[in-house]
Amino acid sequence: MASTADDTNGRHRRRPRNGPTSEATARADEGSGSGASTGPVAETRWLNGDELAAWLANSAIMISLPAALDARMQREAQLTFFEYMVLSVLSEQPDRTMQMSALAARTAASLSRLSHVVGRLEKRELLARQRIPGSGRRTTATLTEAGYEVVAAAAPGHVAAVREYLIDDLGPQELAALRRIGAAVDAAIKRGQSDASSAA
């Protein structure tokens, strides 16, 4: 959603709720006001032209790629992309079983979202949940034989989509750079989560 603000001619213009991303946009936005900007805006490390272009290109990957993979997965395998990821992660385990908290971490999902999806997959008999004896509310999810057959059948189409939408248009150096970028972003996110947990 976006909020509205009056410009100097009295007309309404759209302003992103999260504010501008680049310094140039911020300065233009400040210039339309009645006074100089102070506070957090003046301290923000705005993106320069190259940084902004990189961020916008990456935003396309974050938004468009998952949507394309999801649409194709639903069309070809009658699974959502997230459902496929849950089944795929379980299929990689020696006993096709994981504790729900670990599965949530591997799929970058909240426990509530994972529980909802696992419940849906359980109704289709693609996996089964079981409580772990002892204190706490620990639960495991196990891929059933039917679930394994479904994910095995969906995997070739998924790999084909990943190749078509991402891998095959990149050269060896670009793939190496993409791998380094992914690792760096993942490390930064985990640092932030660790800092937030420590502060809490």
Side-chain angles (χ1 to χ4, degrees), residues 13 28 39 43 50 64 74 87 101 103 107 113 117 119 124 131 142 156 191:
R13 56 187 171 85
E43 300 169 3
D50 289 341
S64 300
Q74 291 193 54
L87 298 178
S101 57
L103 185 56
T107 57
R113 182 192 181 194
V117 171
R124 295 173 60 180
R131 290 288 300 274
T142 300
R191 281 198 306 273

Side-chain angles (χ1 to χ4, degrees), residues 80-162:
T80 67
F81 179 56
F82 183 67
E83 288 171 342
Y84 172 81
M85 292 301 297
V86 170
L87 298 178
S88 178
V89 168
L90 289 174
S91 74
E92 296 169 353
Q93 308 309 307
D95 55 358
R96 301 178 187 173
T97 299
M98 283 189 79
Q99 193 166 320
M100 288 284 286
S101 57
L103 185 56
R106 280 288 303 276
T107 57
S110 66
L111 272 173
S112 60
R113 182 192 181 194
L114 178 64
S115 294
H116 176 75
V117 171
V118 165
R120 193 163 64 223
L121 294 171
E122 197 170 27
K123 289 179 180 179
R124 295 173 60 180
E125 299 184 345
L126 301 183
L127 55 74
R129 280 182 288 190
Q130 184 174 359
R131 290 288 300 274
I132 299 175
S135 59
R137 298 178 59 185
R138 297 175 300 164
T139 305
T140 61
T142 300
L143 188 68
T144 63
E145 191 61 34
Y148 183 80
E149 291 176 1
V150 166
V151 74
H158 171 63
V159 173
V162 170

